[in-house]
Structures are given as C-alpha cells and as structure tokens.
C-alpha cells in the first residue's frame, strides 16, 4: 500500500493535522498495521518537499507546533493517477513455501510433513479471519474475504503439491 497516496487521498476531504491523518488511516486501513506517528510525519515531510501538500496553518500545541496540511492540485493529480494505475499482480513465482518443499526433498527430509504443517497453519488463519469477518463491519468483511481467497488458493496449491510430491522429488533430485 502506498501510505503517501493514502494520506493524500484522506486530505482530499479537507485539511488535517498529522494526528488526524494517523487516526483516519488507522480507522479505515490500519486494522492490522496502524501507522506510527513518525511514519506519518516523515511521509508528510516528503509530500511537502515534493509539492503534493502544503502547510495550511500552524497552531500552538502542548508540545511542538501543530501543522495542518492541505493537498495541492499536484497532489490531487498524483492521487488520481495512482488510483487509475492497476496494481501489478503478484504471481508468487518464487515462494518461500516452494523453496522449503524442494529443499526438504533435496536433503531427504519429509516434505509431506512441511505441507501438512503449512496446511494446518493456513486453516488456523482461515478460522481466525472467518471469525473476524463474521463480527466485522463491511470494510472488515471485504479485507477478510481478500485474505481468505488468497489462503484458499494457497490451500489448493498445497493439495496439488502433496499429490505430486513423488514426481517433484524425482524431478528435483535427478537434475
């Protein structure tokens, strides 16, 4: 996720302080990974340097002065271009799990056990996400669905690999 673009998008609704941006980000997007304040302010500093935001006002606070940021026309254009650009699909052609299976075969370890252990971990995570989805709002449900669909695809791969393990062992050990 592009944190800078996300913060710019949040600024389109009106000027905000860094604290307000962090709170809005965490509420809408940071369920599992809330932003650190330092990340917000370093991102805002970069956006300011690049002309995508401007300081709309400075207010005294209990500590340092509080800057209120506003998005510039260049920032709006940047968000618009980012939203219109499709994300590159991640094909996972060199996954860690595949590497573990092949290394287990190459070192005469039990690759089926690795697949079984991973299957159990995927199913455990799916139960957690399904419970979260059941209790969550629409945003949480959609986020959980996205993760669940990826986990389901991984499970299909685990099953397929388990079914082909003998052939894979032959292929990787005879090269």
């Amino acid at each position: 996720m592009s944190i800078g673009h996300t913060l710019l998008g949040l600024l389109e609704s009106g000027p905000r302080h860094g604290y307000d941006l962090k709170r809005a980000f965490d509420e809408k997007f940071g369920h599992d990974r809330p932003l650190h304040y330092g990340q917000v302010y370093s991102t805002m500093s970069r956006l300011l340097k690049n002309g995508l935001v401007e300081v709309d006002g400075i207010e005294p606070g209990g500590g340092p002065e509080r800057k209120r940021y506003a998005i510039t026309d260049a920032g709006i254009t940047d968000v618009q271009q980012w939203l219109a650009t499709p994300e590159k699909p991640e094909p996972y052609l060199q996954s860690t799990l595949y590497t573990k299976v092949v290394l287990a075969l190459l070192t005469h370890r039990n690759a089926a056990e690795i697949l079984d252990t991973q299957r159990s971990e995927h199913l455990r995570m799916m139960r957690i996400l399904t419970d979260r989805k059941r209790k969550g709002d629409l945003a949480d449900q959609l986020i959980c669905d996205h993760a669940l669909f990826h986990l389901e695809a991984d499970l299909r791969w685990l099953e397929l690999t388990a079914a082909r393990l003998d052939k894979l062992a032959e292929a990787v050990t005879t090269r």
Side-chain angles (χ1 to χ4, degrees), residues 19-174:
Y19 173 82
D20 297 327
L21 285 167
K22 178 200 175 345
R23 192 179 66 226
F25 181 98
D26 290 351
E27 181 182 296
K28 300 284 186 208
F29 311 107
H31 298 285
D32 295 321
R33 283 186 174 165
L35 281 181
H36 297 287
Y37 284 105
Q39 197 172 8
V40 172
Y41 292 110
S42 65
T43 301
M44 295 311 296
S45 177
R46 182 178 45 80
L47 295 173
L48 186 63
K49 185 179 101 183
N50 293 336
L52 302 176
V53 297
E54 61 191 9
V55 175
D56 186 57
I58 298 177
E59 302 168 5
E65 294 177 328
R66 296 180 56 200
K67 292 179 184 174
R68 187 175 54 244
Y69 298 95
I71 192 168
T72 63
D73 289 340
I76 292 170
T77 300
D78 198 55
V79 171
Q80 186 172 338
Q81 289 172 346
W82 179 68
L83 290 173
T85 304
E87 291 297 309
K88 180 181 177 195
E90 294 294 333
Y92 304 109
L93 291 178
Q94 192 61 353
S95 78
T96 303
L97 185 53
Y98 173 77
T99 302
K100 286 183 174 186
V101 170
V102 170
L103 282 176
L105 293 170
L106 289 172
T107 59
H108 307 290
R109 289 184 172 94
N110 190 342
E113 190 175 293
I114 291 171
L115 293 170
D116 288 342
T117 300
Q118 192 63 50
R119 185 181 303 105
S120 295
E121 185 61 19
H122 271 60
L123 291 171
R124 184 188 71 76
M125 181 56 66
M126 290 175 83
R127 284 189 295 276
I128 290 168
L129 289 169
T130 300
D131 186 54
R132 177 176 163 180
K133 177 182 165 181
R134 214 181 342 261
K135 295 174 182 174
D137 61 9
L138 180 58
D140 233 15
Q141 291 168 11
L142 290 170
I143 288 168
C144 289
D145 279 339
H146 186 263
L148 285 164
F149 293 151
H150 282 273
L151 290 170
E152 285 174 12
D154 287 349
L155 279 176
R156 288 194 317 267
W157 181 86
L158 289 166
E159 295 300 325
L160 180 66
T161 304
R164 295 179 175 173
L165 207 48
D166 290 338
K167 288 180 182 178
L168 181 61
E170 186 180 321
V172 300
T173 57
T174 58

